[in-house]
Every structure is written in structure tokens, then in C-alpha cells.
Amino acid sequence: MCTAEASASLLQVEETFSACLARIDALILKPLLQAEPTDQKGKENLKLFLRLNDRFQALWNLTEENYRILKQKCSASESFCIQDIYTVWKGDLFLNLYIQYFVTFANYVVVHGFEHATKSKSEAWKHHKTVLKQFLTDFTSETSMSLALYTVLHKPIRDHIMQYILLLTKLNEVLKEGSEKDVVTSAIKEYMKLESFVSQVLDEACFTKSLWKSLSYKFTDMLCVPERRLLEDSKNLPISASTNRSDRVLLFDDVLVLIQGNSFQSFDLKLVWVDENCRKKSAPGLYGLRIVTPEETFFLSAKDPQMKAVWQWKLNQAVRQALNGKRDFPLWGKTGEGTEPPSCRFFTYVFKLEGKFKSASYEGEWHWGKPHGKGTLKWRDGRNHVGDFKEGLEHGFGICLVPRRSEDRYDCYKCHWYKGKMRGYGICEYGNDMVYKGYFKDDARQGFGILENCSAEHSFKYTGQWENDKKNGYGVWEDKDRGERYIGTWLDDHKHGQGIVVTQSGVCYQRTFHADKMVGSGILLLEDDYVYEGNFTEDLTFVGKGKLSFANGFILEGTFTNKSGQGLQTHGILNTSNEQLDDQITKAQLGLEDFPVEKRWKGIYDQFLEFIHSGCKEETEESFMGFHIQTSKELRKSQEYLFCQRGTEDISWKIEDILEEVVQHQGLESLPSYLEKALKSSLHPLGKLLKALTIAFQATYSGIGANKHLLTMAQEEIKYYAKKIWEFYQGLLRLALEQKGQLPAKHVEGDVSDQKACSMVLPLILPCFYPELFMLYMLYHEREDDLYCQGIMDLSLFPDIKLLEFLDVQKHLWPLKDLTLTTNQRRSLIKDKCFLSATECLQKLITTVDPREKLVILQKTYEEIESTVSRVVEKDYKLPMDDLLPLLMYVVSRAKIQHLGAEIHLIRDLMDPTNQGGLYDFLLTALESCYEHIQRMRLHQRENCHVTHSS
């Protein structure tokens, strides 16, 4: 058969088929469409029949259209090619229309559509039996009308498919090997699949129809859906569910149903997992399958492995097809091909049984019957949780909204979760305008955290330790309305134990607290340098026994009372023997014994220890670091961070990279630069630790907390920070070496470790704390610096030569050559020209915060002085102490450095201990001597003026 013959045969086949469809339409479909059912079932069936009629018309129209095109080509006597065989080139269109028709036809069969149709038209059909005889050769008077209709509406169409296959097969036999033969061969396979598909669809429909006929109305009313197909029945292929679980197991194409007595349970196949490797057997000699669903797990048991294998295969096929949203073509595909459905899925489910998620709707990823991956939980009461899940519980990062009952607001938790409970770092934005940023454990605030109330009514901020959702341990409370800050210990949300209160006016006191109430005696430091030791009230009124020390040295000791309308009264002794109050009293340092530095901010250190002890595992990284690491998703990028500001960092700080670099840079040459880079990064654990400590330090000592009585407390805190950061670096290094199978170095002795921290870490972290720390130094040395500044102002009035002479600088050391004169200018009046290079060098002291660099500047200043003197005497000249001090005093007076006392003491307190006794120590001592000498000069002037006025 050539292409032309095939086209002619196709034309004849299509003409016959089109005529057949026309007769079916006129004699069968149109009378049925005239039905006007009155019952609900009849109306539903009519809708299905209308859909079937639409599919029939579409099939008929396609046949007519292609028949006309082919007939026109034959009439024109044109040559034919494979493209003219439209059943080949339009194969997909033909297949889709036939599939749609038979699926809709099967739906009508399942709901007993033909039985209802012939019943309602029984009288009419009795007079039209001759019509059906035109289509059915074996039609007899005993043949039921419904069966006749069923046959008429599918047999001619199935026969037509077989004619397509026969025609294409004959054409394929005569075609030569090539692309045309391949196309025809492929088309034959698809039409054979279609024939198989139609056969399976009709078999399933009849199988399902028989089931609905056998079940009670109660079951069919709830389970019977036109599109639903029965795939297997335990009555046909025996299998039983768990003991006393069910009498019958039905597998449909969308649900698995267990029937017991008058009730049943159905399970959506999209959320059914089949485990063949279950160890449990229902009974000896039975072969089981474990069926996993979101809220229940049960077993199906077969008597032999063959039955188990068939059920397993059919279950997996049905689940896979349900997940795909369409049936296979043909329905069951090939054995062994794609039979395993994926274990990870995405679906929506409403939990029904008692439990944490009861009545909640979950939309997201699943794994073996449990939420696993990304998902969203929504409860009817308005709660919802969006985030990560693991094995059925919230695990990882998530955002949870909890409505407040009394107001139309929500508490929003942006947190890390562990096995269903908040754990690790998180942010909670409460509906009452309060915000918590810190750590959680078992759904409660635990560890270090910050709670802030941003509302206008009662603005406050707490920074410190939490335990069991309450303020417990060391913490700082700032009451912005009262303008005061509490630094001390807490118990169950109350100030409890030793505490320091600093006020905006500069008043500072330390007391013992019990449940927010002050008890016992304390020390009260007033802004005018008055010091009171004893008992006092919350409004700072003296009561009972006490001692009041005045700034002029007088001391009043006795009993104080404050009666209404009579003011403060005392009964005691006034001691006027002291000329001036001791600095140890006026500059008393608070909190040192009561708040040991190692017990402050324990919550911060604990988080880092936990992270290191866990092996710095990747799954704990975000919980510890906060949701800012580079692996964070878009959802997290929009959130706030507690310790870190996301910067444009080019460096990748993945934990495996961090541990690798720690090992690479453990040498003394590269270690300082590595530490500097790590501490500057908010993505590195050490940088995160530094940022946390910076926030804690600022919460304590900035603003209201800037009080001279807290200087030593702040200073030792910074030194301890350096020590802890060094310890954590050592911990990271040990962990990295252990993971590489290398032995870590022997543990460093305590004193040596402290020296390392001070020399290597302290200068790197000091810039973070410098503004607050230097403010404390300035306040502490305010009186001395005032005297010094006034002395500097007095000395600045002197011209250079007069000042050198006044300071007893030997004349042969004067750099007179540097005094270049202009017209009408006298040498004795020139200022700020001598030792200019040394002066400019010393002025750089305030440009750095690093004590090491400040000492280097001091050394360069000394070298500049010595260089200038050597130039004057025209030989190398090593300055003895007697010559150095006057010259250095000259340079200091000309440099006019503000707060020099604060600078000197900061350097002295924070310098590397290894520099003690060396050149740096010597130069710093010389600078201190100059500072003190300038103060004494001014003090002597004051005393002389006082004596003159007195006389």
C-alpha cells in the first residue's frame, strides 16, 4: 500500500465513521438530551451526559474537518505524502480527544448513568428498539437498554481506533527505512497505547460501578465521585489491615479506604507512604506493608509475598499518579518503570487528631508522613508559623504569629526552633510595643537578651541574663522616664541582690535590693562630690545612722531624720579637721567586689561555649549566629539582627572555611592580621562575640551610665573581654586541629594567656569600646585635667624663649636657629616655633585609640626632641632625665592636648604588661611628671592668690 492508497482508504474509513457518528447523534444523543430530570441524582447525571455529548461533538467535528480536507485533495488529483495522513501528523490532537471522550464516558458509566437514562426514557425506548438494531448485530429483545446504549456509545469508536491501527500498519509495511517509517511506527505505538488505555478505562469503570452497587447507600453517598476509580479491593486480592482495624481495604486512584462495620476511614494518596521493609508482622506467616499517613501509621498484611508485591506495586503506582495529577498512558505503564513515588512531597493538609497541630492547616513539604522542609502552619484562632520543619516539628528558622486575646494585635516570633520549641537566637515583637532580641530555650527566654519597650508611656530597656522567661542574674535596666539606670542582679523579674543605680543628674548609689525594694545601708555619691554612707530612701533622703563627707573634707556622722515640713535634721558630730576629702572617697569605684567580672555577661559567653562544644556544626550556626549568615534565604534578609549589621563583605565565612583558616593562620606572623579581619566581620563567630560584648558594654556605660565611679568596673571588663576572646580563639583552634586529626598545642598557663590576650587582642577590640571608656576616664580625671588646662593656658602666654627660661631648660639646648625673624620682629616675642616637630608629633596622641600606637607616638616625640637638641649642639646628644623633663614639659605645654590626664591613665591601665620597666614605661612616667608638674604650678598660683587675698 502506497501513500495514495492509504489516503484513499483513510478517506473511505472516515466517511463511514462520520456517517455512523451522525446517526448516533440523531437517534441516540438528541433524544437523551431532551430529558428533564426532577431528582438531584438525575440532574447530576444530566450534567455528566452533557459533558459526554460535548466530547462526542468535538470528536465528530475533528473527523468531519479532516475528511473534508482529504476529500478536497483527492478531488484535485494531487500527489500524496505522509503529511496527508493526518492521523500521523495530528496524532496528539486525535489522542487527546479520544482520551477525553473515554474518560468522560467512563465517568458516566461509574454513576450508573445509562441505567438512569433508560429508566427515565423507558417508554420512548420501547418504540425505538429498531434504532439500536441498526448499531448492534447481536441485539435481542432480552438485551437491556442500558447495556445497548453503553455498547452503542463506545464500540463504534473503539472499532474506529483499530481501523486506524490496521491502516497505519499496512502503510508501515511498504515504507522504506527512514524518517517517514519512524514517524509511522511511533504513531502506531501511540494508537496501540490508546487502545490499551480505553480497555483499561472501561474495565476500571465497570469494576468501580460494581463496587458502588454492592456497597450501602451510606458509603456510596460519601465516597462515590464520577472521577474516582477503584484500583484494587481486598475482596478480590486478599489483604488485611492491622488487627481489628478494618473488614475491607479499597484502593482508589485518589484515596485509600479502610471499611469497618458501618464506618470508614479515607487517606489521601498524596500523603500516603508505603514501606515494604517494615520489621513488624501482624501475625506469624503474614507479609506486611507499613502505611504511613500524616496522623496515623498502620500495617497491611498479606498471606503470601506475591499478594504483598501486587498491593505494594499498585499502591506505589496509585500514589505516584496521584502526585503527578494525572493517570499514566496507558493507565498502569510498564512494570518496574517509575513505580516508586518520591518520599519528599509538597501538599496541604488539615490535622484532625488531638495534638499540638489539631485543627491546623499545613501547606508545605512532607517526608514520610511528617512536615519536613519549608512549610506554613495556620490555626483557626489566627496563629500561624512559617519556616523550617523536621520530622513533624518546627526545627530551624521560623516566624510565628500569635494573636493577643484582648486586643487586635499579634506577638511575632522570628526565631530558631529545635524539635518544636524555640531555641537559640530570635526576635520577638510583642503586640504591646515591646521587642525582645536574644536567646530562647524550650519556648522561654533563656540566656542573654535585650527587652525594650518603645512606647511613649513607659520607655525602658533591659540588657542582660534571662532564665525561664524571667530576668535572672546580671543585667542592666534603663528607665528612660525616670532618667536612671540599674546595674546589678535580678531574681524572677525583680531587682534582687547588689545593685548600682546611676541617675541622669550624676548621682550614683549602691544598695542591696530585695524584690525591687532597697534594704540595709549603702553608699550614695552625689554630683558635688558629697559622699553619704548609710541608709536612705528611694527619693535619696537620708534616714537613720549615717556618715556624710563634704567636698571640703568635713565629715558629719550621726542620725538623720526628715520630718514633714522641717527638712533634713541630724544629731551627731561634725569633724572639721580634714582640709580636703580623700580621693579614695570622692572617686570611690563601685561594683568591683559585688559583681566579679567573670560573672558578668555569662549568658553571652555560654552561647559561644555551646557553639564550640557542639563542634561548630552547620545546623547550629544560624541558631547561634543569628539569621544573617550568607546561606540565609530572602525571607530572613528582611529581618533585624541583634548583634550584626549586614555589610558588603567580600569574605565568605562558612564554618568549614573558618576552621580551615584558623589552622592556616595560627603562626605568630599571620595571627594578628587574621584576628583583626575576624573581629571586624559580623559573619565570624569572634566578630559576633565582639559585637555582643559591645552592645552589653554600651548598655552599661554609655549615656546615663557615663559615671566616674564605674571606671574601674568598665576597665576590668574590657580586659576580661580580651581574655575571653582569646580563649574562644583557642577553642576554635583546638576544634579545627582535632577535626584534622592533629594534636592541639599544650594548654597555655593562665598568666601567659592573659599576656597574649592583652598584647594581641586588647588593641584590636579597644576601638569598639573607646568612646564610652574614654568618657569615663575624662570624668574620673576631670578635676586634674581642669588644673592642667588652666596651667597650659598660663604657659601659652609665654613666648618661646621666656617659656624655655621659665622651665629651666639649659640655654645651650635652646634651638634659637629655628626662630626666624621678620621685619620689626623681636626674638623674645616669637611663639610656637621651638621644638615644632616634636610638638606636632605629640599632638597625634589623640588620633589613635591603641595604647601601643600612643606609646610609639610618645617615643617618636622623644626622638624628635633629641634630634632637635643634637642639631643645636651639632653632635649626637642623649638627653639625661634632668634635661628631658623641662624639654618635654615645653613640648607638652605647646601641644595643648586636652584631657591629657585621661590619655595618660588609659595608656597606663591598658598598655601591654611586657612594656613595664622598659623605654615606653620610662617615657610615660616622664609624661606623667610633666602633667603633674603643670597641675602643681597652677595649684600653687591658686594658693598664692588665696594667701594674697587673705592678707
Side-chain angles (χ1 to χ4, degrees), residues 528-531 547-556 573-583 585-586 783:
D528 51 7
D529 280 345
Y530 286 21
V531 179
K547 181 173 73 171
L548 178 62
S549 303
F550 297 90
N552 61 3
F554 293 1
I555 297 176
L556 177 59
I573 300 171
L574 177 64
N575 184 350
T576 62
S577 60
N578 295 329
E579 295 183 358
Q580 188 178 351
L581 201 58
D582 189 354
D583 273 358
I585 298 176
T586 59
R783 192 193 311 165

Side-chain angles (χ1 to χ4, degrees), residues 202-224:
L202 296 178
D203 288 346
E204 278 188 358
C206 294
F207 191 29
T208 308
K209 174 184 169 184
S210 300
L211 173 71
W212 300 142
K213 193 172 182 179
S214 66
L215 290 178
S216 66
Y217 175 77
K218 177 182 177 180
F219 289 135
T220 56
D221 188 48
M222 289 186 282
L223 290 174
C224 181

Side-chain angles (χ1 to χ4, degrees), residues 123-378:
E123 295 299 322
W125 286 109
K126 284 179 182 178
H127 302 290
H128 293 84
K129 288 185 178 181
T130 53
V131 173
L132 294 175
K133 287 182 180 179
Q134 297 179 22
F135 301 100
L136 301 175
T137 54
D138 56 349
F139 181 79
T140 65
S141 57
E142 287 78 22
T143 304
S144 68
M145 299 297 295
S146 59
L147 177 61
L149 280 177
Y150 167 80
T151 307
V152 166
L153 288 177
H154 88 272
K155 190 174 185 303
I157 301 171
R158 287 190 68 180
D159 292 344
H160 193 61
I161 294 172
M162 292 306 300
Q163 286 183 314
Y164 280 156
I165 295 172
L166 182 62
L167 189 151
L168 291 174
T169 302
K170 289 181 179 179
L171 176 63
N172 196 45
E173 289 172 354
V174 299
L175 288 174
K176 296 179 180 179
E177 294 295 330
S179 59
E180 289 188 346
K181 187 179 181 69
D182 293 340
V183 169
V184 173
T185 302
S186 178
I188 292 171
K189 290 179 180 179
E190 291 303 310
Y191 279 104
M192 289 180 72
K193 284 182 182 180
L194 176 62
E195 168 55 27
S196 176
F197 175 82
V198 171
S199 176
Q200 292 170 348
V201 163
L202 296 178
D203 288 346
E204 278 188 358
C206 294
F207 191 29
T208 308
K209 174 184 169 184
S210 300
L211 173 71
W212 300 142
K213 193 172 182 179
S214 66
L215 290 178
S216 66
Y217 175 77
K218 177 182 177 180
F219 289 135
T220 56
D221 188 48
M222 289 186 282
L223 290 174
C224 181
V225 178
E227 295 79 11
R228 179 168 288 162
R229 298 291 181 271
L230 178 65
L231 306 182
E232 195 52 83
D233 185 347
S234 61
K235 281 194 172 181
N236 298 326
L237 189 66
I239 199 167
S240 60
S242 307
T243 309
N244 300 323
R245 183 63 189 250
S246 70
D247 302 325
R248 192 171 183 181
V249 180
L250 301 175
L251 174 61
F252 293 95
D253 61 343
D254 61 336
V255 292
L256 177 66
V257 175
L258 305 181
I259 296 178
Q260 183 172 22
N262 293 323
S263 62
F264 72 91
Q265 280 184 291
S266 66
F267 303 93
D268 193 318
L269 288 183
K270 292 177 181 176
L271 287 175
V272 168
W273 285 260
V274 182
D275 181 13
E276 63 167 323
N277 298 316
C278 61
R279 297 176 183 176
K280 178 178 177 180
K281 290 186 177 181
S282 301
L286 296 179
Y287 298 87
L289 293 171
R290 185 168 70 103
I291 306 300
V292 179
T293 70
E295 297 185 86
E296 293 185 68
T297 298
F298 55 91
F299 294 86
L300 297 179
S301 301
K303 292 184 178 180
D304 60 63
Q306 289 77 17
M307 285 187 183
K308 171 190 171 181
V310 173
W311 269 99
Q312 178 191 340
W313 184 79
K314 287 198 171 187
L315 278 164
N316 280 329
Q317 285 278 37
V319 170
R320 179 180 55 79
Q321 293 183 48
L323 289 170
N324 291 338
K326 62 178 182 179
R327 304 294 301 278
D328 285 348
F329 180 77
L331 290 182
W332 290 105
K334 295 180 180 178
T335 305
E337 182 181 305
T339 56
E340 290 295 328
S343 58
C344 296
R345 305 171 190 175
F346 188 95
F347 198 66
T348 300
Y349 178 81
V350 178
F351 289 90
K352 304 174 183 66
L353 301 183
E354 288 293 333
K356 183 178 180 180
F357 297 157
K358 184 182 179 182
S359 301
S361 169
Y362 174 79
E363 180 182 10
E365 297 172 341
W366 296 78
H367 184 261
W368 281 99
K370 295 179 179 179
H372 191 93
K374 305 292 181 188
T376 301
L377 267 173
K378 293 182 179 180

